[in-house]
Amino acid sequence: GKHTVKLDSKTTNVRVEPFALEMGIKFELHVTISGRTINVSEIPEIPIPDEWVRDKLELYFCKPERGGGEIEQIEYDKRSRRAAITFLRPE
């Protein structure tokens, strides 16, 4: 639809149109490391199933070039936007 937007002392009319978003989603994570487990906080709210978020975390943190390794378990809480990732070995 059409909208009127006022910025500073000027007013302009704009029209909203749908557009396609690229599939890639970039976001920033905050990580605390302790032994075999890392705690990830401030995971952004993204409109995908919880299992997909776990999969993305696993893919990111299992890569050796990022200091990762084989993952034993991922506990993800959507409400608190936190995850605990436990590795098989401390690396």
Side-chain angles (χ1 to χ4, degrees), residues 20-25:
L21 293 175
E22 293 182 28
M23 289 301 295
I25 298 173

Side-chain angles (χ1 to χ4, degrees), residues 7-47:
L7 297 172
D8 297 324
S9 61
K10 297 185 182 205
T11 302
T12 188
N13 293 321
V14 295
R15 189 176 73 187
V16 178
E17 293 184 9
F19 61 93
L21 293 175
E22 293 182 28
M23 289 301 295
I25 298 173
K26 288 186 176 184
F27 53 87
E28 181 178 324
L29 300 173
H30 298 263
V31 177
T32 305
I33 300 171
S34 172
R36 293 186 320 132
T37 301
I38 61 172
N39 295 309
V40 181
S41 61
E42 299 183 41
I43 298 171
E45 295 178 32
I46 50 178

Side-chain angles (χ1 to χ4, degrees), residues 70-81:
E70 195 171 351
I71 294 174
E72 180 178 309
Q73 175 181 347
I74 296 179
E75 296 176 24
Y76 169 63
D77 181 19
K78 186 174 190 167
R79 278 189 271 128
S80 68
R81 298 173 40 214

